[in-house]
Amino acid sequence: MLTNNQMGPPEKPIAAEKQIISLGRVLQKLREEDNVEVLIETTIAYIKEQFDYQLIWIALYDRLNHTLSGKGGMTPTKDTNFLQQRLVLSSGDLLEQVVIEQRPLGVADLRDEHRADTLQEVAKKFQIQGTIVLPIRYRDRCLGLVLLGSQTWGYLLAGDAKARLLMVLAELGAVLYQHEIDLQQKQTKHIEQPLLRLLENLRSLSNLDKKLEAVVEATHQFVSPSRTNIYWFEREGRYFWCRMSNQLLNLGRNSGPQQPAVGISVQDLSEFYYALVVNQTVSIGESRSSLNSHVTGKLLQRLRVRSLLAAPIICQKELLGFLAVEGNQPRIWTDTDKNFIQGAAGLISLVAPTDNMESTIKQIQADAQLTSQVAQAIYSEHDLQEVLRICAQRVLERLGTTRFLLLRYDPDQNHYQILHQSQLQNRRPLTFNLNALKDLDRQLLQRVTEAVEIENLDEDLRFFNWRPFFIENGVHSLLVCNCAQGNSPIALVVIAHETHRCWTALEKELLWVVSQQVGVIVRQWQLQGNNEQQKTILHSLQQCLRILAQTQSKTPDTEEHHLERTALQQIASVLGCPLALMLSWSPGQHQAEIIPGVVTNKGFEIVANTSIFVQTEVLIQWALAQEGYLSLRVDDLPPETRNWLNGSDIGQILVMILRTSNAYQPTSVVLFADHRERYWSEQSLSAAETLVCQLAWLHRQKQITQLLELATDDLRQLNWYKHRRLEEIHRAATPLLSQSHDSGISAQEMRETRPQPLLRQLEHATAAIAELLKYEQWQLQMKWETIPVASLLKRAIEKVDNLLKQHKLWVGVHGLGQSVVPQDSPKNSADLKGTQTLANQSSMAIVGDIRKIELVLQELLVVACQRSQPGGRIDIWCRRLDEGMLDISITDSGPMEALLLEELNQDQPKDLLAVSSLDQPPGLHLLICKNLIRQMKGELHFYQLPDNRVVSRLLLLLATHIS
């Protein structure tokens, strides 16, 4: 075992160990050194020792100026001017790429690199080819760079060498970063002590101007600008004036000619003004500005400076002015400068209200007294216009403004009308109405809880559609209040001023309170208006009822459309529109008639004698497709409609259909028109719909009455004529019968000539005519007689015998025990006589008016014969029902119109005004038969079998026994 004494000399360290030792030594030296120059020299020495490069250059990066400043290095020659050179980085530059990306960048031949002109010249001068540029960085912050150049092409660092160099540069970056932080802390001014001293100084001063002077002196001393000024804001006229300056102390508005006031108009520098209003500090320094370039140039030119730092003075959300530090040369303002003037401006906002505290208290008391007087006037005076006049005068005097306006939204006309206005004595009243508000303005007024201030109507985008009306009348600033907080802006109080002006918080609060009180007046007016409108609607309904009573009698020819015109006038008075008309047509007609009701203005003319086709007129077809009313603009109409609805002032159109029930087809529409700005309110529309519905029933009742009256006249004439003709026939036949009996012919001769059956038939006929003439002149009489079913059918078939032969039809009777005749043989009179005995065997008999039942059966058989094809057959089925009824069903194979079949079987009442197949034969005859059978407690139905055969089913009462 060897001891220390026995150990040999130490071995020489190998090359790798030397590199590690050298790296540790330089890192330790960098950590312990504070001097930047020594740090740079240490780094250069290490690179010379460890790396074989002919050009070494270390430069530090200036973030503010975006430049590189050379701090030393090594060149192949004694020329070291380049090492201390300052380079300005430009976009696309090679060195800028390393600074921004903070990654090493290698170049094979720096002489050919076009992205760095200066480096290219240096490379050509020193014959530098292969180059590597490495950033000096710390925490993603570039502090500088190292450029290593070799006279060999493409010469780069090996992996281990690059790692050692990056470790050295990283340590250098950390030390440089800490040195920069320490330097900034040493150079940074502390604002706490100066602000505390300024605050203590302000406490000892009583005059506001003295306090402003102290702030200016303290700010100028701390920031050291060229000038320090305090600008005060004048609301009337909207401009800033220099109230205090370090050069001209106590410069006021009332200064003499030797000390002119410096003014900054808001009109010229609105962006600067609005930045101060939102409590934003405005900073304009070297190549930097918080405003756009146009405003920056104007502001600097106006103040005759090249740099500016301005902090707003705001008290209770009101801009009092701003504190400004100004420089004659471009300057970069530090955060400390900004913080100090913000603090100084804040101290001014604290001490400024105390200067006029007494006057402010008096003003608040006066405002409270004013609002109290307005409230007392509202609840004590009955003349609301006089209350508003007093209120407006006091508000105008208090605010020192030009006009007081009370606006109310009219939903019918869709605009704001001026309910009341007061203005200065030498001003004319405004005579225009204001357009409805845009959605954004309406939502703004509904949401805010204070007056909306428009300082400059020429620039402000709020209430943009009101701008032309006000500017044309010399108004340039507004104060707008919603009279019902949180609700839709129906009533508005507007203060209008002829110049650009700002309003204080007290002024806005006063107007807000007054506007809420005025809202009570408007609400009362609205209730009165609604009451008047309800009275108008009730009066119109009463008028319509009186018209209904007047139209119970037939309208004379001179008053053909009296009902429609009067009703249209009443509805137009409710809607307040200048045009009302009706498009009316009769069932089945293709053209509609124009019935003008109201045409009050020249701009609402129509061409009344125009032919309007129902199927092609879009107004009629659109209205028929709607469940309720149809509202549209005149621009929506086609040219064909505009040819007759051609009034130049027509803008809004309202169309309603005269509909009484969905089961009845409408035959008229009413049309109302007004100006383009018209808005139809829900209340007026509801009233109009009620009146139009009533008009529909009146119109329908009138049409039905006229139709029934005409039908009654025609039937009376026909009945009178036929009755008189029957009387003549009866009078002519009676003498002939008497002459036959009194002719003296012997019985033997009578038997030989056999005229007796003919005379007997003629006597029966004249007796039947006499009975009809006596008992059924103007109404039917129902008899209750009994007849066997077989006899009834036999007599009915005999009456259509000729028609059966003419059409070659076959008839079969079933259900009487056996057929009257064989079903395979045609019926004729001889066959019927041959089966008389067989038919009488049937025990079934019916009860009722036999004559009328026979006529019904005859009519059913005639209709069946007329629709049957030649050679066809008709079957008569008889069946006894348990309910004491007899079912006689007549079946044929002829076609029957589906519409006629549907109308004969419909249960709901027939629309008397609609065109129907029951208005003429055969439908009319079948309907009469159906009604006659119903009067005899029977039934008559028509239906079609699946095999398309038509069945006429007759239900008659069975007799308990045969008389």
Side-chain angles (χ1 to χ4, degrees):
M1 185 173 179
L2 296 175
T3 63
N4 292 335
N5 294 331
Q6 295 173 331
M7 294 179 61
E11 299 180 358
K12 294 183 178 180
I14 60 177
E17 292 178 348
K18 290 181 179 179
Q19 293 174 353
I20 297 299
I21 294 171
S22 179
L23 176 62
R25 186 182 303 113
V26 71
L27 292 177
Q28 182 68 23
K29 191 173 183 180
L30 291 175
R31 292 191 188 100
E32 295 175 352
E33 186 58 53
D34 293 333
N35 191 300
V36 175
E37 295 181 358
V38 175
L39 292 172
I40 300 298
E41 293 175 357
T42 302
T43 306
I44 294 173
Y46 175 76
I47 296 175
K48 285 182 181 180
E49 177 187 351
Q50 297 293 326
F51 305 99
D52 185 16
Y53 283 99
Q54 286 74 43
L55 177 65
I56 302 173
W57 182 53
I58 295 181
L60 298 183
Y61 175 59
D62 184 356
R63 294 189 313 277
L64 296 178
N65 298 310
H66 198 48
T67 59
L68 288 173
S69 299
K71 296 300 181 180
M74 179 188 75
T75 63
T77 66
K78 296 181 180 180
D79 187 359
T80 60
N81 293 330
F82 164 71
L83 300 180
Q84 305 298 327
Q85 192 171 352
R86 181 174 179 266
L87 298 180
V88 178
L89 299 178
S90 58
S91 178
D93 189 86
L94 175 69
L95 299 180
E96 186 195 48
Q97 182 178 350
V98 176
V99 169
I100 293 177
E101 296 180 0
Q102 298 186 25
R103 292 187 303 177
L105 181 65
V107 179
D109 191 344
L110 187 60
R111 295 174 300 176
D112 298 332
E113 182 57 49
H114 300 288
R115 293 180 294 170
D117 296 337
T118 304
L119 294 181
Q120 191 177 27
E121 295 176 0
V122 172
K124 292 178 180 179
K125 181 178 181 179
F126 298 124
Q127 297 300 315
I128 300 300
Q129 297 185 40
T131 304
I132 183 171
V133 183
L134 301 98
I136 303 172
R137 56 188 294 272
Y138 181 76
R139 292 182 180 178
D140 295 330
R141 181 171 175 178
C142 184
L143 301 168
L145 54 82
V146 175
L147 185 145
L148 305 177
S150 172
Q151 294 179 343
T152 305
W153 186 90
Y155 182 83
L156 299 176
L157 284 172
D160 58 340
K162 183 178 180 181
R164 287 184 282 114
L165 180 58
L166 290 178
M167 292 175 63
V168 172
L169 295 182
E171 188 65 31
L172 176 61
V175 177
L176 289 176
Y177 177 80
Q178 185 61 43
H179 181 270
E180 183 176 329
I181 295 300
D182 296 341
L183 183 61
Q184 288 180 356
Q185 290 178 352
K186 292 178 181 178
Q187 294 177 349
T188 300
K189 301 178 185 179
H190 296 280
I191 65 173
E192 295 84 1
Q193 293 300 324
L195 284 178
L196 289 175
R197 287 195 298 269
L198 175 59
L199 179 60
E200 188 66 26
N201 191 13
L202 292 177
R203 288 177 180 174
S204 62
L205 300 174
S206 59
N207 184 274
L208 179 60
D209 289 335
K210 293 295 184 181
K211 295 178 180 179
L212 298 180
E213 180 181 344
V215 172
V216 167
E217 291 178 352
T219 304
H220 192 77
Q221 181 180 0
F222 184 86
V223 181
S224 299
S226 301
R227 290 192 303 271
T228 303
N229 298 323
I230 293 178
Y231 293 88
W232 217 247
F233 182 54
E234 184 63 33
R235 300 184 176 277
E236 185 69 28
R238 297 174 79 232
Y239 66 90
F240 295 97
W241 57 280
C242 185
R243 182 166 182 173
M244 190 62 61
S245 174
N246 70 305
Q247 295 180 348
L248 301 173
L249 294 178
N250 202 18
L251 180 62
R253 288 175 295 173
N254 300 323
S255 301
Q258 69 278 8
Q259 293 179 339
V262 178
I264 302 176
S265 174
V266 173
Q267 182 72 17
D268 299 332
L269 300 166
S270 58
E271 183 180 347
F272 172 65
Y273 166 71
Y274 288 118
L276 296 176
V277 168
V278 296
N279 200 17
Q280 176 183 341
T281 299
V282 176
S283 174
I284 302 176
E286 185 177 5
S287 70
R288 297 185 182 185
S289 174
S290 59
L291 305 175
N292 64 51
S293 58
H294 175 69
V295 177
T296 298
K298 291 180 63 176
L299 181 59
L300 294 180
Q301 183 180 4
R302 181 70 185 85
L303 297 176
R304 298 186 297 276
V305 296
R306 299 185 65 184
S307 58
L308 172 71
L309 194 60
I313 303 171
I314 296 179
C315 179
Q316 297 178 355
K317 299 182 180 180
E318 293 183 21
L319 180 65
L320 302 180
F322 66 92
L323 170 63
V325 289
E326 305 165 4
N328 294 328
Q329 299 298 325
R331 173 173 173 175
I332 298 176
W333 304 104
T334 66
D335 293 338
T336 305
D337 297 334
K338 296 178 183 179
N339 293 335
F340 185 87
I341 71 161
Q342 286 175 350
L347 292 178
I348 297 175
S349 66
L350 293 177
V351 300
T354 60
D355 184 58
N356 56 352
M357 183 67 71
E358 185 176 351
S359 61
T360 302
I361 294 174
K362 292 181 179 179
Q363 190 62 68
I364 293 175
Q365 293 174 347
D367 291 346
Q369 184 179 5
L370 190 152
T371 55
S372 176
Q373 290 173 352
V374 173
Q376 292 176 3
I378 290 175
Y379 290 103
S380 61
E381 294 286 345
H382 297 287
D383 187 355
L384 298 180
Q385 284 288 354
E386 180 63 19
V387 173
L388 284 176
R389 188 188 65 81
I390 298 173
C391 171
Q393 287 181 350
R394 292 176 178 173
V395 171
L396 289 178
E397 293 173 359
R398 163 65 178 88
L399 300 183
T401 186
T402 310
R403 298 181 184 273
F404 177 98
L405 303 175
L406 175 59
L407 307 179
R408 181 181 180 276
Y409 177 67
D410 184 357
D412 292 343
Q413 301 297 331
N414 194 27
H415 64 212
Y416 281 90
Q417 60 183 356
I418 300 177
L419 282 184
H420 178 85
Q421 60 178 317
S422 295
Q423 57 279 329
L424 299 182
Q425 293 182 356
N426 57 348
R427 303 301 194 276
R428 293 181 181 180
L430 302 179
T431 58
F432 53 79
N433 293 316
L434 293 169
N435 296 331
L437 291 170
K438 300 296 184 182
D439 288 339
L440 288 177
D441 295 330
R442 179 179 53 81
Q443 294 171 6
L444 170 66
L445 289 175
Q446 185 172 349
R447 182 178 64 253
V448 298
T449 57
E450 61 181 5
V452 177
E453 179 182 15
I454 306 296
E455 300 180 11
N456 186 352
L457 194 61
D458 304 303
E459 297 178 353
D460 206 309
L461 296 180
R462 293 173 295 178
F463 309 107
F464 184 79
N465 55 337
W466 287 3
R467 181 190 293 180
F469 301 97
F470 281 117
I471 292 180
E472 185 178 350
N473 288 270
V475 175
H476 294 281
S477 60
L478 298 174
L479 203 57
V480 185
C481 290
N482 182 6
C483 293
Q485 178 182 337
N487 296 318
S488 180
I490 301 299
L492 300 175
V493 168
V494 178
I495 295 298
H497 200 64
E498 294 180 349
T499 60
H500 302 150
R501 172 174 173 175
C502 300
W503 313 84
T504 66
L506 287 178
E507 291 171 340
K508 291 189 285 186
E509 183 178 355
L510 169 65
L511 188 65
W512 178 259
V513 175
V514 171
S515 68
Q516 303 308 299
Q517 294 173 339
V518 172
V520 177
I521 300 178
V522 178
R523 178 61 177 168
Q524 190 169 348
W525 269 340
Q526 185 178 4
L527 293 176
Q528 291 177 354
N530 292 341
N531 188 28
E532 292 298 327
Q533 189 173 17
Q534 293 295 336
K535 288 181 180 179
T536 303
I537 295 173
L538 179 60
H539 176 71
S540 300
L541 292 173
Q542 292 172 346
Q543 287 291 102
C544 290
L545 292 175
R546 280 196 289 271
I547 294 170
L548 176 61
Q550 295 170 2
T551 55
Q552 294 302 312
S553 59
K554 186 177 180 180
T555 305
D557 294 339
T558 56
E559 298 291 335
E560 182 180 0
H561 299 301
H562 174 70
L563 166 67
E564 290 81 1
R565 287 193 177 94
T566 307
L568 288 173
Q569 291 171 4
Q570 296 299 323
I571 301 173
S573 66
V574 173
L575 290 175
C577 61
L579 174 62
L581 59 90
M582 177 185 290
L583 303 177
S584 181
W585 64 95
S586 299
Q589 285 187 345
H590 301 293
Q591 290 188 356
E593 176 188 8
I594 299 179
I595 304 175
V598 175
V599 182
T600 57
N601 297 337
K602 291 183 178 180
F604 291 86
E605 304 95 339
I606 59 171
V607 183
N609 56 354
T610 305
S611 297
I612 296 178
F613 293 91
V614 177
Q615 296 299 325
T616 59
E617 177 51 58
V618 294
L619 280 177
I620 296 177
Q621 296 304 317
W622 289 348
L624 292 175
Q626 295 286 329
E627 288 293 332
Y629 62 85
L630 173 66
S631 178
L632 64 158
R633 298 177 64 88
V634 71
D635 300 331
D636 302 329
L637 299 179
E640 295 78 10
T641 302
R642 289 292 292 158
N643 288 336
W644 62 270
L645 193 65
N646 58 357
S648 59
D649 292 339
I650 296 176
Q652 292 288 344
I653 298 173
L654 185 66
V655 185
M656 296 184 182
I657 191 76
L658 263 66
R659 180 181 284 115
T660 54
S661 172
N662 292 331
Y664 301 148
Q665 290 296 326
T667 57
S668 297
V669 296
V670 292
L671 182 146
F672 307 97
D674 209 331
H675 296 87
R676 289 181 178 271
E677 298 78 16
R678 177 62 190 268
Y679 169 78
W680 312 98
S681 66
E682 291 296 330
Q683 188 175 14
S684 60
L685 286 175
S686 178
E689 284 185 300
T690 302
L691 295 176
V692 168
C693 181
Q694 186 170 6
L695 173 60
W697 283 106
L698 294 176
H699 186 66
R700 175 177 173 80
Q701 182 66 30
K702 175 186 173 182
Q703 289 181 314
I704 292 176
T705 302
Q706 291 176 347
L707 178 64
L708 295 181
E709 286 177 349
L710 292 174
T712 302
D713 289 345
D714 292 341
L715 292 176
R716 284 175 178 173
Q717 293 174 9
L718 179 63
N719 185 69
W720 175 84
Y721 167 72
K722 288 186 175 183
H723 202 82
R724 292 297 180 260
R725 290 291 293 155
L726 287 174
E727 287 178 346
E728 290 179 2
I729 295 172
H730 183 264
R731 284 195 300 269
T734 301
L736 292 175
L737 288 175
S738 300
Q739 292 175 9
S740 298
H741 287 293
D742 299 338
S743 61
I745 301 175
S746 62
Q748 182 64 31
E749 291 175 344
M750 292 286 289
R751 283 191 296 273
E752 290 176 357
T753 58
R754 296 190 179 182
Q756 192 66 27
L758 295 176
L759 291 175
R760 192 181 308 105
Q761 291 180 10
L762 184 57
E763 288 178 353
H764 288 321
T766 55
I769 292 175
E771 184 178 4
L772 185 146
L773 292 174
K774 181 177 181 181
Y775 296 108
E776 295 185 298
Q777 179 176 359
W778 290 108
Q779 66 180 36
L780 296 176
Q781 297 291 334
M782 291 297 175
K783 299 180 182 179
W784 295 98
E785 305 168 318
T786 303
I787 184 173
V789 177
S791 300
L792 177 67
L793 295 177
K794 176 185 174 185
R795 289 159 62 171
I797 295 173
E798 285 177 348
K799 293 180 179 180
V800 296
D801 182 56
N802 291 334
L803 194 59
L804 292 171
K805 291 178 180 180
Q806 180 181 351
H807 289 271
K808 299 179 182 181
L809 298 174
W810 297 63
V811 176
V813 181
H814 315 277
L816 294 178
Q818 72 178 80
S819 300
V820 176
V821 292
Q823 296 184 25
D824 57 352
S825 62
K827 301 294 180 181
N828 53 49
S829 299
D831 294 332
L832 291 170
K833 293 177 181 178
T835 58
Q836 175 94 21
T837 304
L838 184 61
N840 287 335
Q841 294 177 358
S842 175
S843 61
M844 288 189 295
I846 57 98
V847 63
D849 193 319
I850 304 304
R851 300 273 183 189
K852 295 179 177 60
I853 294 175
E854 285 181 4
L855 291 175
V856 170
L857 279 172
Q858 178 185 349
E859 186 69 31
L860 296 178
L861 290 172
V862 168
V863 174
C865 293
Q866 290 176 345
R867 65 171 169 253
S868 297
Q869 297 294 328
R873 66 179 294 149
I874 299 174
D875 292 303
I876 302 176
W877 302 84
C878 299
R879 185 165 59 97
R880 186 174 188 146
L881 303 179
D882 294 339
E883 294 83 2
M885 304 292 290
L886 175 67
D887 180 358
I888 300 177
S889 298
I890 302 173
T891 306
D892 64 87
S893 300
M896 189 174 186
E897 294 182 5
L899 179 60
L900 174 60
L901 192 63
E902 180 184 354
E903 291 183 344
L904 284 172
N905 292 320
Q906 64 183 3
D907 297 329
Q908 58 187 4
K910 171 180 171 290
D911 186 1
L912 298 178
L913 298 178
V915 178
S916 173
S917 59
L918 303 181
D919 293 337
Q920 63 275 336
L924 176 60
H925 295 169
L926 295 177
L927 180 62
I928 293 173
C929 293
K930 190 173 182 179
N931 293 333
L932 281 174
I933 293 301
R934 187 182 295 112
Q935 293 180 32
M936 290 183 281
K937 301 181 181 179
E939 298 179 19
L940 178 58
H941 303 284
F942 304 92
Y943 57 91
Q944 197 166 19
L945 296 175
D947 58 1
N948 294 328
R949 288 184 298 164
V950 177
V951 178
S952 303
R953 187 185 184 199
L954 181 63
L955 301 179
L956 300 172
L957 286 175
L958 282 171
T960 55
H961 62 279
I962 300 176
S963 303

